[in-house]
Every structure is written in C-alpha cells, then in structure tokens.
Amino acid sequence: MAIFKSIAAIAACGAAAANAAAFQPRQYKTLVSSPALIDTLHIDNLFKRAEKLQEIAYATPGKNRVIGSPGHEATVAYIQSQLDTNYYDVTLQGVQLSVGINATLTANNKAIQAYATTLAPAGNVTGPLAVIPNLGCEEADFTAALTGKVALIKRGTCSFGIKVQLAAAHGASAVIATNNAEGTLEGYSLQVFPDPAKPFVPTVGITLGQGESLLAQIGAGVNITVALTSVAKLATTYNVIAETKEGDHDNVIHVSGHSDSVTAGPGINDNGSGTCSLLEIATQLTKFAVKNAVRFSWWTAEEAGLLGAEYYVKQLSQAEKDKIRLLLDFDMMASPNFAYQIYDGDGSAFNLTGPVGSAEAEHEFAAYFDSIGLNHTEIEFDGRSDYGPFLEAGIAAGGIAGGAEGIKTQEEFEMFGGGAGVPYDVNYHEDGDTVNNLNLEAWIEFSKAIAHMTAKYALSWDSIPPKNATAARKRSEKYGHMKEAFQKTKRYQRWV
Ligand SMILES: *[C@@H]1O[C@H](CO)[C@@H](O)[C@H](O)[C@H]1NC(C)=O
Ligand SMILES: *[C@@H]1O[C@H](CO)[C@@H](O)[C@H](O)[C@H]1NC(C)=O
Ligand SMILES: *[C@@H]1O[C@H](CO)[C@@H](O)[C@H](O)[C@H]1NC(C)=O
Ligand SMILES: *[C@@H]1O[C@H](CO)[C@@H](O)[C@H](O)[C@H]1NC(C)=O
Ligand SMILES: *[C@@H]1O[C@H](CO)[C@@H](O)[C@H](O)[C@H]1NC(C)=O
Ligand SMILES: *[C@@H]1O[C@H](CO)[C@@H](O)[C@H](O)[C@H]1NC(C)=O
Ligand SMILES: CC(=O)N[C@H]1CO[C@H](CO)[C@@H](O)[C@@H]1O
C-alpha cells in the first residue's frame, strides 16, 4: 500500500548544497518563542501562497486539486519544494488508491449521467436493478439474494464503503449510489480502505432526481436492466511529513492540515488556507532553535474520507504513537463569514471529550485568544477532519477553524460580526472557494494562533499532562462509544 521515499536522497544539487553548508560556521539560532514566531507572519506572504495553490489548480483541466489529479500532484511537489532539508527531515509517504475516472450508465438502454466512485474497482457490468431498502448500512437491509444484480443504494448514515461491502457480500455485481442532496456525486469516495476480506464491486454515483426516477419506475412495476462501465486508475498519492532535525523526538508536537481539495473547485479556504498557514510557519520556524521536535504533516485524501491521516496513524507502532504528545489540525482558516472556533477538547460544550491533553490544548487556544482580546467559541470535537484517526488512537488533539457550511447564529454575529443566518463559508465545496473569497483578517489571526501553539510546545510540555497508556486506552474506548452516538446525528449524515 505504501511507498516511502526520502527526498534528502534524490537530487545531486541537494547533496552539493549540503556539503557547502558543512563548511559554514555553525549558526547558533535563538530559541523559539511565541511572540518571535508570531512576528514573522504577514498576510501578504500567506496570500502569495494561496495564489500559488490557485494557480496550480487553474493550470489543470479539472481546475481543482483533488487526489489523483495533476493539481494535487503539483500541490505536493510545491509543499516539498518549500521545505528546507537542512532544517527538516522530509518524508513522502505514499498511499495507493483506486481513483474513479469516468463512467457510463444506461437503464433499459436509456443513458444516465454517472460518475465513477473513488476506491471502487473498475468494471463493466450488466444486470437487473435491485432496490436496497432503508440506507443499506445494516445486514438486515439485505434480505433478497443479489447474485448477478446491480444494487441501488441511497447515500447517508454510514460510509458508502460499508454499503458496497454488504451488497458485494450478498452477491451484487455492482452498485449505483444515489445522492441524498442536490448535486452530482463527481469525486465521491467510498471513504474507507478496501479490506481484502470484504471486497468492493464497481460503483457509480447518480443524482437524487435520477435515483428517484428509477425508484418510481420500479415502484410502477417496470423491470429495469442497467449496464454500467466504470473506469478507475491506481494512483499513489502522498502525505508530506517534515520533522525538525533538532529537538526531543520522543516528545513531538505534530501540526497538520490537508493538501487536497474537492472536485468542485480549487479549494483555497478548504483547506488550502490550512496548507499555506502551515507552510509559512514551517518556513519561518527554520530561523529558530527548538527543544521539542516539531513535525508538520500535509495529509492527502482528506476529502475522500480522511484516508491519508488514517493510513499514517494505522502504520505507526504504539511506541511511535506515544511519542506524539499533541496533534493540532487546521482547516478552513479563512472562512469569509468566520467565527474563531476551537475544538471542544474538554467536552464542556458538546459532551465529546478528547484524550488526556486535548482539554489543555483547548484551554491554551482560549487563553491565547483572550490575551489578544478576540472572542472565541467552541465546535464539536467530532472527528470530521484529519484529527479523527488520532483521537481514535488515544492521541491528544486540538485545533481551530473558521467554519464550513454551518450557519452563523445571532449570538455569533454579535461576537464576530459578518452576517447572521448565513453560512460561515458560502463557497464551501464549491467552485467559488478561491483567493477572492478569503477572509484575510481571520486568516492572519488563525495563523498567529497556530504559531503560538507551535512555539509553546516546541519549548515545553509542562502544561500538558504526561502520557499514560492505560488512561489513553480507556479514553480511546470511550471515544469509540461517543463516535457511534455522533454517527446518528444529522450533521454526520450530511457528511458521509
Ligand atoms: C474514460 O477515461 C478514459 C481514460 O482517460 C478515456 O480513454 C475514455 O474515453 C473515457 N470514457 C468516457 C466514456 O468518457
Ligand atoms: C470494460 O470494457 C472496456 C471496453 O469494452 C475494456 O477496455 C475494459 O478493459 C473493460 N474493463 C474492465 C475492468 O473489464
Ligand atoms: C419482471 O421480472 C420478473 C422476474 O424476472 C417477472 O416475473 C415479471 O413478469 C417481470 N415483469 C415485467 C413487467 O416484465
Ligand atoms: C454525555 O455523554 C455520556 C455518554 O458518553 C452520557 O452518559 C451523558 O448522559 C451525556 N451528558 C449529557 C449532559 O448529555
Ligand atoms: C465580543 O463579543 C461581544 C458580544 O458578546 C461584543 O460586544 C464585543 O464587541 C466582541 N469583541 C470583539 C473584539 O469583537
Ligand atoms: C494512568 O491512568 C490510570 C487510569 O486512569 C491510573 O490508574 C494510573 O495510576 C495512571 N498511571 C500513572 C503512571 O499516572
Ligand atoms: C471535507 C472537508 O470539508 N474538509 C475539511 C476542511 O476543514 C473543515 C474545518 O476543519 C473540516 O470540517 C472539513 O472536514
């Protein structure tokens, strides 16, 4: 599944530069501090990076940075090119995925526009259409034998991977996914890695309206035969990981964001803003010495189901997991109608508590915003972004965000300005998510907050309780139960 390559080893000119550096007198750097690192951040530098990402997206046929696309490959190369290999050990961790390219579908010889679903295999299938009752998340939804048939399943409640595995186990030769909201399922993913014991079958996605039309025909007693082709390509997509050469590698502060966008647009707030904030901080940090190692990661395939981060956490040994004292994750740093939202690590607002250390991280963010006189609010610590797999592994986590498709309340309007009753980001997952729609005021404040946290923990872990494997495991089990409860909420169902 994975291909590791260390970029330190590749270029001859890289080696020459390293030799030249060896002849220089050793540079003694000032120890990092929160005010000094914050001082290095300027909005025009962040904005230039956002423009670069947009340029990368617009130079490609799809005008996006979705995994498996030239736009995402160029994003990864850009991140890599910006990291100083005298200061960081940089690793590209490859994750292999089957990416959907295109599809054709006919029902009783009438063509329907369909999209190949990422992670599902390619194939050409013909067979009678069978409607799966409910949402196809439970064994009980699969009563009739599906041998030789194509299953029609609605989106919602559980990841599509679970539905497709169940359909395949009951003999279905392919699946048609119908959307549960407006829009196409272009770029949609099964959201879970294939399991050799529970294989997937070819899957294509259609709109809500197209699905309803098929259901109406079947309801009227018409037998439908469908023919579908689905084209996929095996793509290796990369997590970029950079860790300071200096510092205590047994007590790491891990700071992350994701590098991919959705299919609909260049993804500049979601989550190019996080990508750029981290890149700028990683660049500025090289001016300083650190006591604790700082690890930056840019995850791949977040939009396809947090796959890059999940893969990363899965392949870590327990000993390696124990070395991560805190994971901080950043997305949506420049939402036009922002609120300064902090993940509810102590469970005080949403009753979902993170592993030991998560509460302290939340309090530190709050103290930072208080210190500069900015209001802040809390958001559910629900695992909806790349910190999710870390929580499940019992690793303390935290983060901040400006908001996605949620609606700003009157109370938040009084705290942050902007517009009440309007989404935090009207362009969330749309083609309007461009450099023109960033809130620069929020972006620089968020970036400074990231710099504060990075510097604080690069200096000392005194304010975070020591790791306790027993306690971590207990928390992790508890998180598992909380997650089940969360998965029944409306918020989750709009996401899967
Ligand atoms: C699907 O993609 C492949 C590879 O890019 C291309 O050769 C083929 O023509 C496409 N088929 C359709 C139906 O668009
Ligand atoms: C589907 O059919 C096309 C053309 O008939 C063929 O090129 C392709 O290899 C087939 N795909 C699979 C997965 O069998
Ligand atoms: C639909 O198919 C079933 C079983 O194959 C068959 O019994 C039935 O007569 C068909 N109905 C129509 C309207 O063709
Ligand atoms: C918080 O969640 C726990 C389960 O994790 C539940 O037992 C408890 O009743 C919840 N408390 C509130 C105030 O909702
Ligand atoms: C913070 O929120 C209060 C309302 O709760 C508001 O009066 C105040 O102006 C806000 N402060 C800032 C800096 O926006
Ligand atoms: C670790 O946590 C467990 C359970 O909360 C507790 O019983 C134990 O004393 C703790 N161990 C240390 C070394 O703090
Ligand atoms: C899928 C998606 O929208 N990506 C993430 C971008 O950032 C927000 C805020 O953290 C996350 O909620 C999203 O999951």
Side-chain angles (χ1 to χ4, degrees), residues 258 270-271 302-303 331-332 343 384-385 401 404 428-429 495:
H258 72 79
D270 180 10
N271 284 291
E302 192 261 11
E303 305 285 7
D331 264 341
M332 313 286 291
Y343 287 127
R384 190 179 132 171
S385 198
Y428 176 71
H429 285 185
W495 179 51

Side-chain angles (χ1 to χ4, degrees), residues 120-181:
N124 302 318
V125 173
T126 301
L129 188 64
V131 176
I132 304 303
N134 304 318
L135 288 159
C137 293
E138 318 265 341
E139 188 62 43
D141 294 340
F142 294 84
T143 45
L146 293 174
T147 312
K149 294 186 178 164
V150 175
L152 183 75
I153 311 180
K154 281 197 231 48
R155 181 182 180 190
T157 292
C158 64
S159 72
F160 227 90
I162 292 173
K163 304 176 192 225
V164 173
Q165 282 168 350
L166 282 168
H170 287 84
S173 45
V175 170
I176 299 175
T178 69
N179 207 349
N180 59 354

Side-chain angles (χ1 to χ4, degrees), residues 39-338:
D39 264 359
T40 64
L41 298 180
H42 304 289
I43 189 65
D44 37 331
N45 292 341
L46 291 172
F47 194 75
K48 274 185 210 138
R49 293 188 186 278
E51 284 182 319
K52 178 72 193 172
L53 288 187
Q54 181 157 313
E55 223 176 84
I56 285 172
Y58 284 168
T60 68
K63 302 205 181 329
N64 59 31
R65 303 182 302 104
V66 72
I67 50 160
S69 75
H72 186 247
E73 279 168 24
T75 302
V76 167
Y78 168 64
I79 293 170
Q80 193 185 328
S81 73
Q82 298 296 299
L83 294 165
D84 178 352
T85 52
N86 289 316
Y87 190 83
Y88 293 108
D89 286 321
V90 180
T91 309
L92 296 189
Q93 181 182 44
V95 184
Q96 274 201 345
L97 301 172
S98 169
V99 177
I101 304 287
N102 58 28
T104 61
L105 172 66
T106 62
N108 288 345
N109 298 317
K110 196 164 160 270
I112 297 175
Q113 169 88 66
Y115 293 92
T117 306
T118 281
L119 296 180
N124 302 318
V125 173
T126 301
L129 188 64
V131 176
I132 304 303
N134 304 318
L135 288 159
C137 293
E138 318 265 341
E139 188 62 43
D141 294 340
F142 294 84
T143 45
L146 293 174
T147 312
K149 294 186 178 164
V150 175
L152 183 75
I153 311 180
K154 281 197 231 48
R155 181 182 180 190
T157 292
C158 64
S159 72
F160 227 90
I162 292 173
K163 304 176 192 225
V164 173
Q165 282 168 350
L166 282 168
H170 287 84
S173 45
V175 170
I176 299 175
T178 69
N179 207 349
N180 59 354
E182 288 308 306
T184 71
L185 287 176
E186 185 180 6
Y188 190 57
S189 155
L190 296 182
Q191 297 163 61
V192 291
F193 283 114
D195 172 350
K198 297 173 176 172
F200 296 145
V201 289
T203 303
V204 302
I206 62 175
T207 64
L208 179 62
Q210 289 160 340
E212 279 171 350
S213 153
L214 291 175
L215 283 172
Q217 292 175 59
I218 296 222
V222 179
N223 288 340
I224 299 180
T225 298
V226 296
L228 63 88
T229 68
S230 166
V231 182
K233 73 166 180 193
L234 205 57
T236 303
T237 175
Y238 293 92
N239 288 328
V240 184
I241 299 152
E243 181 156 332
T244 55
K245 290 181 189 286
E246 265 197 1
D248 177 356
H249 296 280
D250 291 336
N251 288 284
V252 172
I253 167 73
H254 196 157
V255 187
S256 74
H258 72 79
S259 58
D260 61 319
S261 77
V262 289
T263 314
I268 299 303
N269 184 31
D270 180 10
N271 284 291
S273 55
T275 303
C276 298
S277 296
L278 295 196
L279 209 42
E280 186 60 19
I281 292 168
T283 302
Q284 298 301 335
L285 186 65
T286 63
K287 296 173 178 161
F288 301 97
V290 293
K291 283 190 179 164
N292 296 317
V294 181
R295 183 180 304 165
F296 291 94
S297 295
W298 290 266
W299 309 120
T300 184
E302 192 261 11
E303 305 285 7
L306 319 180
L307 299 176
E310 186 177 315
Y311 180 77
Y312 175 83
V313 172
K314 263 203 186 132
Q315 56 78 44
L316 285 182
S317 65
Q318 189 57 48
E320 288 300 322
K321 285 178 191 162
D322 289 343
K323 291 177 184 171
I324 304 172
R325 290 291 296 274
L326 179 64
L327 179 281
L328 297 175
D329 190 56
F330 302 101
D331 264 341
M332 313 286 291
M333 298 282 95
S335 307
N337 190 29
F338 72 94

Side-chain angles (χ1 to χ4, degrees), residues 468 470-471 474:
N468 174 335
T470 316
K474 281 196 177 143

